[in-house]
Amino acid sequence: MYCVIIALQYTIMEEILQTTDLDLIDRRILAELQRNGRASTVELSEHVHLSPAQCYRRQKRLEESGLIRDYVARVDAEKLGYKVVAFVSVTIANGPYKQPHKFQQAIAGIAEIQECHTVTGEADYLLKVVAPDLKSFSSFLMERLTKLFEITNTTSMVSLEELKHTTALPIRER
């Protein structure tokens, strides 16, 4: 038993070391890229006070490690005609862990579903859904989502106003 605990502690320590392996420059690169994902290597190197070549190598290493997942353009949903944002809790008939891959496959191609999270509590999943208007949202909910899978219950909350939206994670310099 004692060996198992030591092995578990060692594994946990390895994980902590890997995530804290970032030095001050790496953290500054991550923070700057979250502010401006389109920054050129030269611009990035100026902000983090590093040569462009070293900055490029570090950025590539952060990408290859999976810390930087991708670069995206944030598009204004309202200007595209999506005026309704709703959060929908979903409960599945057979519980959340019976067929999670089937549910994931069922929602994967639905563009209106922006996010899906497995959650604790009474519901199994929480979805973020966009729609042009309330009638479209209602139609989506009643005609598409509830017929999609063995859904026993949904609860919707329509957002009245977005007060904060960010994709940036807090990057501490230690």
PDB file of all heavy atoms in Angstrom, residues 16 21 24 37 39 41 58 88 92 109 136 140 146-147 150-151 165 170-171:
ATOM      1  N   ILE A  16       2.641  18.147 -11.794  1.00  0.00           N
ATOM      2  CA  ILE A  16       2.827  19.517 -11.302  1.00  0.00           C
ATOM      3  C   ILE A  16       4.075  20.123 -11.920  1.00  0.00           C
ATOM      4  O   ILE A  16       4.060  21.267 -12.359  1.00  0.00           O
ATOM      5  CB  ILE A  16       2.895  19.535  -9.752  1.00  0.00           C
ATOM      6  CG1 ILE A  16       1.526  19.209  -9.171  1.00  0.00           C
ATOM      7  CG2 ILE A  16       3.389  20.879  -9.245  1.00  0.00           C
ATOM      8  CD1 ILE A  16       1.521  18.960  -7.679  1.00  0.00           C
ATOM      9  N   ASP A  21       6.582  23.999 -15.296  1.00  0.00           N
ATOM     10  CA  ASP A  21       7.841  24.073 -16.026  1.00  0.00           C
ATOM     11  C   ASP A  21       7.951  25.359 -16.843  1.00  0.00           C
ATOM     12  O   ASP A  21       8.979  25.625 -17.430  1.00  0.00           O
ATOM     13  CB  ASP A  21       7.944  22.873 -16.979  1.00  0.00           C
ATOM     14  CG  ASP A  21       9.266  22.152 -16.830  1.00  0.00           C
ATOM     15  OD1 ASP A  21      10.009  22.486 -15.904  1.00  0.00           O
ATOM     16  OD2 ASP A  21       9.542  21.277 -17.657  1.00  0.00           O
ATOM     17  N   LEU A  24       9.176  32.542 -16.797  1.00  0.00           N
ATOM     18  CA  LEU A  24       8.558  33.856 -16.933  1.00  0.00           C
ATOM     19  C   LEU A  24       8.331  34.220 -18.407  1.00  0.00           C
ATOM     20  O   LEU A  24       7.267  34.746 -18.762  1.00  0.00           O
ATOM     21  CB  LEU A  24       9.427  34.917 -16.248  1.00  0.00           C
ATOM     22  CG  LEU A  24       8.903  36.348 -16.279  1.00  0.00           C
ATOM     23  CD1 LEU A  24       7.574  36.448 -15.556  1.00  0.00           C
ATOM     24  CD2 LEU A  24       9.924  37.281 -15.654  1.00  0.00           C
ATOM     25  N   GLY A  37      -3.586  37.063 -30.761  1.00  0.00           N
ATOM     26  CA  GLY A  37      -3.215  35.808 -31.408  1.00  0.00           C
ATOM     27  C   GLY A  37      -2.621  35.987 -32.794  1.00  0.00           C
ATOM     28  O   GLY A  37      -2.035  35.067 -33.338  1.00  0.00           O
ATOM     29  N   ALA A  39      -0.303  38.265 -33.470  1.00  0.00           N
ATOM     30  CA  ALA A  39       0.993  38.929 -33.339  1.00  0.00           C
ATOM     31  C   ALA A  39       2.055  38.169 -34.129  1.00  0.00           C
ATOM     32  O   ALA A  39       2.127  36.939 -34.071  1.00  0.00           O
ATOM     33  CB  ALA A  39       1.406  39.011 -31.876  1.00  0.00           C
ATOM     34  N   THR A  41       5.963  37.077 -35.005  1.00  0.00           N
ATOM     35  CA  THR A  41       7.065  36.681 -34.125  1.00  0.00           C
ATOM     36  C   THR A  41       7.856  37.896 -33.669  1.00  0.00           C
ATOM     37  O   THR A  41       8.256  37.991 -32.503  1.00  0.00           O
ATOM     38  CB  THR A  41       7.987  35.678 -34.846  1.00  0.00           C
ATOM     39  OG1 THR A  41       7.204  34.552 -35.251  1.00  0.00           O
ATOM     40  CG2 THR A  41       9.101  35.197 -33.944  1.00  0.00           C
ATOM     41  N   ARG A  58      10.284  29.025 -28.761  1.00  0.00           N
ATOM     42  CA  ARG A  58       9.452  28.843 -27.564  1.00  0.00           C
ATOM     43  C   ARG A  58       7.971  28.708 -27.928  1.00  0.00           C
ATOM     44  O   ARG A  58       7.256  27.875 -27.375  1.00  0.00           O
ATOM     45  CB  ARG A  58       9.645  30.004 -26.587  1.00  0.00           C
ATOM     46  CG  ARG A  58      10.946  29.917 -25.815  1.00  0.00           C
ATOM     47  CD  ARG A  58      11.068  31.150 -24.924  1.00  0.00           C
ATOM     48  NE  ARG A  58      12.252  31.129 -24.119  1.00  0.00           N
ATOM     49  CZ  ARG A  58      12.264  30.875 -22.806  1.00  0.00           C
ATOM     50  NH1 ARG A  58      11.137  30.621 -22.167  1.00  0.00           N
ATOM     51  NH2 ARG A  58      13.392  30.896 -22.137  1.00  0.00           N
ATOM     52  N   VAL A  88     -28.739  25.634 -21.992  1.00  0.00           N
ATOM     53  CA  VAL A  88     -29.740  24.577 -21.886  1.00  0.00           C
ATOM     54  C   VAL A  88     -29.144  23.409 -21.114  1.00  0.00           C
ATOM     55  O   VAL A  88     -28.128  22.845 -21.523  1.00  0.00           O
ATOM     56  CB  VAL A  88     -30.192  24.090 -23.284  1.00  0.00           C
ATOM     57  CG1 VAL A  88     -31.255  23.015 -23.163  1.00  0.00           C
ATOM     58  CG2 VAL A  88     -30.678  25.259 -24.135  1.00  0.00           C
ATOM     59  N   ILE A  92     -30.330  13.052 -19.753  1.00  0.00           N
ATOM     60  CA  ILE A  92     -30.459  11.902 -20.647  1.00  0.00           C
ATOM     61  C   ILE A  92     -31.171  10.765 -19.911  1.00  0.00           C
ATOM     62  O   ILE A  92     -30.956  10.574 -18.708  1.00  0.00           O
ATOM     63  CB  ILE A  92     -29.060  11.427 -21.108  1.00  0.00           C
ATOM     64  CG1 ILE A  92     -28.299  12.545 -21.790  1.00  0.00           C
ATOM     65  CG2 ILE A  92     -29.141  10.213 -22.001  1.00  0.00           C
ATOM     66  CD1 ILE A  92     -28.897  13.033 -23.066  1.00  0.00           C
ATOM     67  N   GLY A 109     -22.289  17.850 -34.986  1.00  0.00           N
ATOM     68  CA  GLY A 109     -22.527  18.582 -36.225  1.00  0.00           C
ATOM     69  C   GLY A 109     -23.553  19.690 -36.126  1.00  0.00           C
ATOM     70  O   GLY A 109     -23.940  20.257 -37.152  1.00  0.00           O
ATOM     71  N   SER A 136     -36.909  30.804 -33.354  1.00  0.00           N
ATOM     72  CA  SER A 136     -35.932  29.853 -33.885  1.00  0.00           C
ATOM     73  C   SER A 136     -35.348  28.989 -32.774  1.00  0.00           C
ATOM     74  O   SER A 136     -35.133  27.793 -32.945  1.00  0.00           O
ATOM     75  CB  SER A 136     -34.800  30.581 -34.606  1.00  0.00           C
ATOM     76  OG  SER A 136     -35.286  31.306 -35.690  1.00  0.00           O
ATOM     77  N   PHE A 140     -35.633  25.015 -32.502  1.00  0.00           N
ATOM     78  CA  PHE A 140     -34.431  24.195 -32.317  1.00  0.00           C
ATOM     79  C   PHE A 140     -34.611  23.244 -31.140  1.00  0.00           C
ATOM     80  O   PHE A 140     -34.332  22.050 -31.221  1.00  0.00           O
ATOM     81  CB  PHE A 140     -33.201  25.088 -32.090  1.00  0.00           C
ATOM     82  CG  PHE A 140     -32.012  24.345 -31.574  1.00  0.00           C
ATOM     83  CD1 PHE A 140     -31.199  23.626 -32.439  1.00  0.00           C
ATOM     84  CD2 PHE A 140     -31.707  24.340 -30.218  1.00  0.00           C
ATOM     85  CE1 PHE A 140     -30.103  22.918 -31.963  1.00  0.00           C
ATOM     86  CE2 PHE A 140     -30.610  23.643 -29.739  1.00  0.00           C
ATOM     87  CZ  PHE A 140     -29.813  22.929 -30.612  1.00  0.00           C
ATOM     88  N   THR A 146     -34.677  17.871 -28.653  1.00  0.00           N
ATOM     89  CA  THR A 146     -35.391  16.857 -27.865  1.00  0.00           C
ATOM     90  C   THR A 146     -35.640  15.565 -28.639  1.00  0.00           C
ATOM     91  O   THR A 146     -35.859  14.529 -28.037  1.00  0.00           O
ATOM     92  CB  THR A 146     -36.729  17.407 -27.334  1.00  0.00           C
ATOM     93  OG1 THR A 146     -37.506  17.882 -28.424  1.00  0.00           O
ATOM     94  CG2 THR A 146     -36.501  18.502 -26.320  1.00  0.00           C
ATOM     95  N   LYS A 147     -35.566  15.618 -29.955  1.00  0.00           N
ATOM     96  CA  LYS A 147     -35.752  14.404 -30.765  1.00  0.00           C
ATOM     97  C   LYS A 147     -34.425  13.752 -31.136  1.00  0.00           C
ATOM     98  O   LYS A 147     -34.389  12.710 -31.754  1.00  0.00           O
ATOM     99  CB  LYS A 147     -36.543  14.749 -32.025  1.00  0.00           C
ATOM    100  CG  LYS A 147     -37.955  15.181 -31.708  1.00  0.00           C
ATOM    101  CD  LYS A 147     -38.716  15.561 -32.933  1.00  0.00           C
ATOM    102  CE  LYS A 147     -40.106  16.027 -32.520  1.00  0.00           C
ATOM    103  NZ  LYS A 147     -40.880  16.507 -33.646  1.00  0.00           N
ATOM    104  N   GLU A 150     -32.151  10.361 -26.360  1.00  0.00           N
ATOM    105  CA  GLU A 150     -33.113  10.005 -25.317  1.00  0.00           C
ATOM    106  C   GLU A 150     -33.094  11.051 -24.198  1.00  0.00           C
ATOM    107  O   GLU A 150     -32.670  10.793 -23.085  1.00  0.00           O
ATOM    108  CB  GLU A 150     -32.793   8.627 -24.762  1.00  0.00           C
ATOM    109  CG  GLU A 150     -32.922   7.513 -25.785  1.00  0.00           C
ATOM    110  CD  GLU A 150     -32.504   6.183 -25.197  1.00  0.00           C
ATOM    111  OE1 GLU A 150     -32.994   5.847 -24.090  1.00  0.00           O
ATOM    112  OE2 GLU A 150     -31.694   5.505 -25.834  1.00  0.00           O
ATOM    113  N   ILE A 151     -33.566  12.250 -24.522  1.00  0.00           N
ATOM    114  CA  ILE A 151     -33.566  13.352 -23.565  1.00  0.00           C
ATOM    115  C   ILE A 151     -34.858  13.320 -22.758  1.00  0.00           C
ATOM    116  O   ILE A 151     -35.950  13.303 -23.318  1.00  0.00           O
ATOM    117  CB  ILE A 151     -33.403  14.703 -24.292  1.00  0.00           C
ATOM    118  CG1 ILE A 151     -32.021  14.759 -24.949  1.00  0.00           C
ATOM    119  CG2 ILE A 151     -33.600  15.866 -23.338  1.00  0.00           C
ATOM    120  CD1 ILE A 151     -31.774  15.968 -25.803  1.00  0.00           C
ATOM    121  N   HIS A 165     -17.121  38.402 -21.543  1.00  0.00           N
ATOM    122  CA  HIS A 165     -16.764  37.223 -22.332  1.00  0.00           C
ATOM    123  C   HIS A 165     -15.269  37.283 -22.586  1.00  0.00           C
ATOM    124  O   HIS A 165     -14.753  38.279 -23.076  1.00  0.00           O
ATOM    125  CB  HIS A 165     -17.494  37.205 -23.681  1.00  0.00           C
ATOM    126  CG  HIS A 165     -17.098  36.017 -24.511  1.00  0.00           C
ATOM    127  ND1 HIS A 165     -17.874  34.895 -24.585  1.00  0.00           N
ATOM    128  CD2 HIS A 165     -16.008  35.768 -25.266  1.00  0.00           C
ATOM    129  CE1 HIS A 165     -17.279  34.010 -25.368  1.00  0.00           C
ATOM    130  NE2 HIS A 165     -16.129  34.522 -25.794  1.00  0.00           N
ATOM    131  N   PRO A 170      -6.106  33.241 -16.871  1.00  0.00           N
ATOM    132  CA  PRO A 170      -5.167  34.047 -16.100  1.00  0.00           C
ATOM    133  C   PRO A 170      -3.775  33.402 -16.130  1.00  0.00           C
ATOM    134  O   PRO A 170      -3.635  32.218 -15.817  1.00  0.00           O
ATOM    135  CB  PRO A 170      -5.747  34.043 -14.683  1.00  0.00           C
ATOM    136  CG  PRO A 170      -6.770  32.973 -14.656  1.00  0.00           C
ATOM    137  CD  PRO A 170      -7.143  32.639 -16.054  1.00  0.00           C
ATOM    138  N   ILE A 171      -2.788  34.156 -16.535  1.00  0.00           N
ATOM    139  CA  ILE A 171      -1.398  33.678 -16.584  1.00  0.00           C
ATOM    140  C   ILE A 171      -0.646  34.407 -15.469  1.00  0.00           C
ATOM    141  O   ILE A 171      -0.433  35.616 -15.554  1.00  0.00           O
ATOM    142  CB  ILE A 171      -0.731  33.964 -17.940  1.00  0.00           C
ATOM    143  CG1 ILE A 171      -1.541  33.406 -19.103  1.00  0.00           C
ATOM    144  CG2 ILE A 171       0.708  33.447 -17.937  1.00  0.00           C
ATOM    145  CD1 ILE A 171      -1.513  31.913 -19.249  1.00  0.00           C
TER     146      ILE A 171
END
